Amino acid sequence: MAEVKATLFYGVIAAFLSSAVLAFVEDLDDTFKDTRVNDIWLVDFYAPWCGYCKKLEPVWYDVGAELKSSGSPVRVGKMDATAYSGMASEFGVRGYPTIKLLKGDLAYNYKGPRTKDDIVEFANRVAGPAVRALPSKQMFEHMMKRHDVLFVYVGGDSPLKEKYNDVASELIVYTYFFSASEEVFPESVTLPELPAVVVFKDGGYFTYDEYEDASLSSWVNKERFQGYLQIDGFTLYELGETGKLVAIAVIDEKDPTEESGRLKTLIQRVAKEYREHFNRDFQFGHMDGNDYINSLIMGEVTVPSVIILNTSNEQYFLPDEPIDTMEQLVQFINSVLNGSAQAYGGDGVIQRIKRVAFDARSTIMSVFRSSPLLGCFLFGLPLGVISLMCYGICTAESDDGPDDIDALKRDGLTDEEEEEEEEERQHAAELEGPEDGENEEDDSGEKAPEEKKTD
């Protein structure tokens, strides 16, 4: 009896906690457009049939609970984009799930990993001011420990500061932006002139040069990643926006081998030791497994191996021979840079057709894996209807034929039998000679002139 009571007690507690967590995420409808203006909202636009949306759902409730418990001003909601398609279209929703932070008249898309910590980090970053102040050395050191990449504006009011504020408003979805005086930096940090924009990463710091680095926005977009990092599908998507080629060591971290470790180390060394040569054009990293790469190139990449991707035109490059030394890796990278390496893939017409077929097959397989019954309904029902229509068209004549023949037999003769009887009649008439009526007509029509006169 005591065990039953305990089970019921824990069940009630679990149900209460579950309902409390669910309460942190609000279900939104078409009235949301008018009521959202005064608040900051983090919204998940989803579709009920989407497998990725179902996978995100428990994470999303954790995000709501985390932001609520931390005192964040961000409110968390979710909207069925299929039920409120007009509202979703106004917010620019093109796929599922789509995560957006709505702040006043601005809408920021989240494109990072779909984990609780990453989404909460995004919400807190974008909800705050675009540029944050670093008032002391202690605060600077604290931020250096928290962030792998740190952008800082140093100096007073200037045109560069205005550009920096604009870039911060645009790219805050990706990274933090700070401002500080030169006194908050360690003595080892020396700046050639002020004002300046500095990025701290990879154990050092690098200064923006307006004449060599083009626009500030482009420079920040390229420098917002560490020189070497672990790459997944979301990271690779973001790297595509930098315009850089991506050099990747494809390895298996679950079953590490000596060859995998060697290629990973070579990529790391090139990223660090050849930064001045390759940083403007290349991003370096490693990827665990080849599943994503295989779907990207619609082929098979061996593990371990090295591949260079050009995400802007979907081209990729593979070394002609195994890479054993750093010199061979540098030579391969240089061959890609100067255009002498063989390029595969691309975005030509044939590749686009292959991509459509590949994506269609992948989508169908994804639907069947996530919901077999839904897949059978979506694809089986149209195929069944088409099959029935084709069967009806092909068998329409053969089905009607026997009925027509039976009807004709009941009435008398078929068309073929009537034709045969008519031929028999004509043949008999020719053998028997003309009938009396016909002879009289023929004779009257062929009388001689003398007979006509006598008559």
Side-chain angles (χ1 to χ4, degrees):
M1 188 66 180
E3 294 180 357
V4 174
K5 290 182 177 180
T7 303
L8 291 174
F9 175 76
Y10 288 122
V12 171
I13 294 297
F16 175 77
L17 293 176
S18 177
S19 62
V21 170
L22 296 178
F24 297 141
V25 176
E26 302 180 41
D27 284 308
L28 306 176
D29 54 26
D30 51 5
T31 62
F32 171 68
K33 181 180 178 181
D34 300 324
T35 59
R36 75 171 187 87
V37 180
N38 298 325
D39 296 301
I40 301 174
W41 281 91
L42 183 67
V43 183
D44 167 30
F45 295 89
Y46 69 95
W49 48 260
C50 172
Y52 294 109
C53 300
K54 294 178 182 177
K55 187 177 180 180
L56 176 64
E57 187 173 7
V59 176
W60 198 247
Y61 288 120
D62 290 341
V63 169
E66 176 72 18
L67 291 174
K68 186 69 174 180
S69 62
S70 64
S72 172
V74 179
R75 299 176 66 179
V76 181
K78 60 187 180 75
M79 177 181 288
D80 184 349
T82 60
Y84 305 102
S85 57
M87 180 73 65
S89 179
E90 288 187 28
F91 287 113
V93 176
R94 298 290 181 269
Y96 312 113
T98 294
I99 298 174
K100 288 179 175 285
L101 188 135
L102 308 175
K103 181 180 177 182
D105 295 330
L106 301 176
Y108 297 92
N109 290 329
Y110 176 71
K111 302 176 182 179
R114 290 165 186 162
T115 64
K116 184 197 76 172
D117 292 339
D118 288 300
I119 296 174
V120 169
E121 171 78 5
F122 164 81
N124 289 330
R125 181 172 67 248
V126 180
V131 179
R132 292 168 165 83
L134 294 177
S136 63
K137 288 186 177 182
Q138 291 78 9
M139 182 61 70
F140 172 76
E141 292 173 358
H142 175 69
M143 289 300 169
M144 284 291 295
K145 292 177 181 178
R146 286 192 58 189
H147 302 289
D148 297 323
V149 179
L150 198 70
F151 289 97
V152 183
Y153 172 81
V154 187
D157 294 337
S158 67
L160 181 61
K161 182 178 182 179
E162 295 179 4
K163 292 180 182 179
Y164 183 77
N165 290 336
D166 292 339
V167 171
S169 299
E170 175 190 355
L171 300 181
I172 195 174
V173 293
Y174 301 122
T175 187
Y176 284 93
F177 293 87
F178 297 91
S179 63
S181 62
E182 196 172 8
E183 288 74 21
V184 306
F185 298 146
E187 295 180 358
S188 58
V189 177
T190 58
L191 302 177
E193 61 180 1
L194 296 179
V197 177
V198 189
V199 58
F200 294 87
K201 67 175 188 177
D202 299 332
Y205 65 95
F206 311 95
T207 306
Y208 166 68
D209 189 322
E210 185 176 1
Y211 299 101
E212 294 185 3
D213 298 317
S215 71
L216 179 60
S217 176
S218 175
W219 180 78
V220 170
N221 201 32
K222 290 183 177 182
E223 294 289 347
R224 62 187 175 90
F225 295 99
Q226 293 176 277
Y228 179 91
L229 68 162
Q230 181 171 354
I231 299 173
D232 56 17
F234 293 104
T235 309
L236 191 59
Y237 178 82
E238 289 189 26
L239 289 172
E241 299 181 0
T242 66
K244 289 185 176 183
L245 300 171
V246 187
I248 303 174
V250 183
I251 62 176
D252 186 357
E253 293 188 326
K254 300 179 184 64
D255 185 21
T257 62
E258 182 179 350
E259 179 68 8
S260 295
R262 188 178 59 79
L263 287 179
K264 182 178 177 181
T265 301
L266 288 178
I267 292 283
Q268 288 175 323
R269 288 184 59 191
V270 170
K272 183 176 181 179
E273 298 177 19
Y274 287 81
R275 173 185 164 83
E276 295 299 325
H277 296 85
F278 298 135
N279 180 65
R280 295 179 188 275
D281 302 295
F282 287 90
Q283 174 65 50
F284 298 92
H286 73 272
M287 179 173 284
D288 181 21
N290 62 353
D291 291 341
Y292 188 85
I293 294 292
N294 290 344
S295 65
L296 194 66
I297 69 173
M298 297 181 290
E300 184 75 20
V301 175
T302 58
V303 179
S305 64
V306 174
I307 185 172
I308 295 179
L309 302 175
N310 186 342
T311 56
S312 62
N313 60 8
E314 299 182 6
Q315 286 184 340
Y316 63 95
F317 305 85
L318 297 171
D320 295 330
E321 57 185 14
I323 294 178
D324 298 321
T325 64
M326 191 166 70
E327 288 73 19
Q328 289 177 317
L329 179 58
V330 171
Q331 183 179 0
F332 171 54
I333 296 172
N334 277 321
S335 67
V336 174
L337 192 59
N338 61 34
S340 62
Q342 174 67 46
Y344 302 93
D347 55 359
V349 176
I350 296 177
Q351 287 296 121
R352 290 180 183 180
I353 295 174
K354 289 176 62 178
R355 172 58 63 185
V356 170
F358 183 86
D359 289 344
R361 185 183 66 179
S362 301
T363 301
I364 293 173
M365 295 301 296
S366 175
V367 171
F368 273 100
R369 281 195 299 267
S370 61
S371 180
L373 293 177
L374 179 62
C376 292
F377 177 78
L378 291 177
F379 302 105
L381 182 60
L383 290 176
V385 172
I386 294 172
S387 300
L388 289 175
M389 292 176 62
C390 293
Y391 176 78
I393 293 172
C394 295
T395 59
E397 295 183 0
S398 60
D399 288 343
D400 296 338
D403 295 339
D404 294 341
I405 292 173
D406 293 340
L408 288 172
K409 285 182 178 179
R410 287 195 298 269
D411 294 339
L413 302 173
T414 64
D415 292 340
E416 295 179 355
E417 292 172 339
E418 288 182 349
E419 291 177 359
E420 291 177 359
E421 185 170 342
E422 184 65 27
E423 291 178 358
E424 291 177 357
R425 289 176 181 175
Q426 293 178 358
H427 184 64
E430 292 176 357
L431 293 176
E432 294 175 359
E435 299 179 355
D436 295 339
E438 293 177 353
N439 289 340
E440 291 178 0
E441 290 177 0
D442 293 341
D443 291 343
S444 62
E446 296 179 358
K447 288 182 180 180
E450 295 86 311
E451 293 177 341
K452 288 180 180 180
K453 290 179 182 180
T454 304
D455 293 338

